[in-house]
Every structure is written in structure tokens, then in C-alpha cells.
Amino acid sequence: MSRLARIPTQDFDRDVTAVAMDDRFILVGQVDGKLSAVYHKNGVSVFSAKISENEITAVCCEEQDEDDNPIFYAGDIEGNLYTVNKKGKVLATAKLQARKGKIHTIVNRNKYSIYAYTSGGNTSFSHATTDFRKGNFSTASANYSFDGDGTFHKKKGAGDYNVIQYDARTPSKIVATCAIEFGKKVKNFEQVFVYAVVDDEYENLIEEGTAENAIIVFNDSSKKIRTLEFKSPVKQVMSCRHHEGDAETDKIYILLWNGMLYKCTGAMLMDPEVANGALDLKVAVMEEDDEDEDDDKGEYKGFCVFGKKICIYGNDGLFTADVKDD
């Protein structure tokens, strides 16, 4: 069982708003507009720079950069995008129109090319280290909604709350997750897409204890494979199926609002012949001094997993754990 522990710095004891990782770095965004990176091997600081006057809402590590020139991305609540190097220097910036909404997710597209996801859709960008060229805007990722009784709609506006779809290999700043979908096979595994509620008002249902505690699992034909019931609403889901290099593994991680983090093998989760009770769903991490696998852990805001490292953050700051093989 993996144990959560603080990294050896007090910089991230609170006010963390976004995290991402690659094979060497933990990238951290904070409420005061600061972007920082540490080596996850030992927690030593790489850089810490105030890049914005606004809260950082999404961060991402470039998947195809060179070892001697790591590149990082960040987005803030006002729709500004930043490309930053290992010294914390901003190399390029871009801005989304205000009506597109705040940036929830940044996803790698190609080398130095990304997608920025908002509640209104996603925008592509290329040449992110130089002139940050804006590409096409698509509303396809935002054509979903969710009702207060847990009904999921593949139509924008049909439900009470707005829902976005994004690639589960990337961390995201969202309110809750209502469904996941296994898509077409890419390389060794089928893709995994998340359907996430992005309206802050949905938190009221969670705080009142009336929010849906289940997520639906679909196949690539949008046919329901199963419904997974939990003791708390699902906050965030991440897939390791399409991480770069040795980090690629067939594990799906599920974070609940009560702080419990679970993991499950994707091949089992997507197989309709495997009953819910036969899934290898198990607790992925425990808090340092905690022996109870079924307790309420308090409120975490989000997490990231990459390779052999898990990073999770909440009101009490940033914690990490090593991924243990089953």
C-alpha cells in the first residue's frame, strides 16, 4: 500500500490549484498565479515564478520535449496560456476569448502543440514555444450535460449542469466526474475519455449529500458497459494507458470527493463480461498515519499519476506517494 507524504518544502502546504507530472517533474499551479516545478525524485525545487496575476487553473508538461530543455504549460482563470521553460521564464503567451470560459484542462496534441479545454469547448494551439499560433475552436467537447438526479445527457443544455469531455491521460480542474468512455484503440490500448461536470454550483449538491455517487462506463459505441457505485461522488479520473514511455500501463485511477483514491485495470473495467464485484478495484494510497481503508479522508481537489509517482492536493496542500505494483 502506498503512503502519502509531503515533499520537503513548505511552498505547497496550501493554495495549490493544479498539478501535472512527467517522468521527472511535478508541476504546480497556485491561487496567486505562481507556477513551480520540483523534481519528484527528491522534492528539490527546479523553479518558482509568478507568471500571472490570476489563479492558475490548469498545468501540463510537454510530452515530447528534450531532456536538456523541458517545457511546461499553464493556463489561468482569465483564459491566459503560458509556455514556460526550466528556469521559470515565460517563452510565449496566448489568450482565449473571455466568453470561452476559464481553462480547465491542457492536453498535449503534438510536439509543442496543445489543446486548451474550457466549458465552451477546446482550442488548438501550435508552435507553443515561439509565436503560440491559435488554431481551430471546437464545441464538440462541450456538447454534454448532467441533471441533479444523475441523468447524463449527450446534449448541451438538456441537463442542469454543463459537462465537458477530455482525454483522461491528462489531469484536470473539474467539479465532478459523471462518466468515462473507452474509445478507439491507439497503440496498445483503447483511449479513455472523461465526462466531467464543470459548473461550480454542482458543489452545492455534493456538500448537501444529494449528488450522484456513481459513474457510468461506456464503450466506443456509447453503449453502457456498467455503472460503478461509490460512497462519495467521483471527483476525477485519470488513465495511464497513453502516458509516454515506461509510464504507460493499463491502470485507471479514480479519486472520490471523500479523499479515497482507487485504481483498476482498464481491460477489466471495459469488459462487459467482468462483473463489478470481480473488478480488481482497490485503494491506491493511504495517508501517512492511516490504517482505515474505508474512512473519509477529507477533501482533495485533484491528483495526477505518472509512472511510479502519485501527486494529490487539497486544502492541506500537496502530497506524493510512490506507485506500488500489485
Side-chain angles (χ1 to χ4, degrees), residues 144-172:
Y144 311 94
S145 56
F146 194 60
D147 275 327
D149 67 351
T151 303
F152 175 61
H153 301 277
K154 290 203 169 185
K155 182 180 179 182
K156 188 179 181 69
D160 303 327
Y161 303 96
N162 290 319
V163 168
I164 64 169
Q165 180 207 59
Y166 65 92
D167 191 322
R169 79 178 195 268
T170 303
S172 183

Side-chain angles (χ1 to χ4, degrees), residues 106-118:
I106 301 172
V107 178
N108 280 275
R109 181 171 158 236
N110 292 304
K111 188 172 184 177
Y112 306 140
S113 299
I114 58 172
Y115 290 110
Y117 285 76
T118 69

Side-chain angles (χ1 to χ4, degrees), residues 25-125:
F25 304 102
I26 301 173
L27 187 64
V28 183
Q30 293 183 270
V31 71
D32 61 358
K34 188 181 293 182
L35 182 71
S36 305
V38 298
Y39 297 109
H40 56 59
K41 180 180 180 180
N42 52 16
V44 171
S45 176
V46 181
F47 72 84
S48 182
K50 185 175 176 64
I51 63 169
S52 173
E53 294 301 318
N54 309 297
E55 175 187 336
I56 303 298
T57 55
V59 294
C60 179
C61 301
E62 169 59 49
E63 291 178 339
Q64 298 180 40
D65 53 13
E66 283 81 32
D67 287 344
D68 61 355
N69 186 30
I71 296 297
F72 309 101
Y73 306 112
D76 68 21
I77 201 167
E78 295 296 323
N80 298 299
L81 279 165
Y82 305 87
T83 301
V84 181
N85 67 10
K86 188 183 174 186
K87 298 186 186 309
K89 180 184 178 182
V90 175
L91 302 178
T93 62
K95 184 171 177 60
L96 295 173
Q97 293 172 313
R99 62 184 175 85
K100 299 286 197 294
K102 69 181 178 183
I103 300 168
H104 295 282
T105 314
I106 301 172
V107 178
N108 280 275
R109 181 171 158 236
N110 292 304
K111 188 172 184 177
Y112 306 140
S113 299
I114 58 172
Y115 290 110
Y117 285 76
T118 69
S119 57
N122 67 81
T123 305
S124 63
F125 292 88

Side-chain angles (χ1 to χ4, degrees), residues 212-231:
E212 182 61 49
N213 286 348
I215 59 167
I216 306 166
V217 181
F218 294 105
N219 66 12
D220 63 352
S221 301
S222 298
K223 182 179 179 182
K224 186 168 78 171
I225 300 172
R226 69 181 79 245
T227 299
L228 283 179
E229 297 274 351
F230 294 98
K231 292 187 175 181

Side-chain angles (χ1 to χ4, degrees), residues 107-108 115 117 165-169 180-194 217-220 239-242 250 252 266 270:
V107 178
N108 280 275
Y115 290 110
Y117 285 76
Q165 180 207 59
Y166 65 92
D167 191 322
R169 79 178 195 268
I180 64 172
E181 181 175 292
F182 287 91
K184 297 284 188 279
K185 190 170 185 178
V186 176
K187 296 181 181 177
N188 297 319
F189 300 108
E190 289 77 11
Q191 288 181 290
V192 183
F193 297 99
V194 170
V217 181
F218 294 105
N219 66 12
D220 63 352
S239 165
C240 300
R241 288 180 142 210
H242 293 92
D250 189 17
I252 312 292
M270 67 178 288

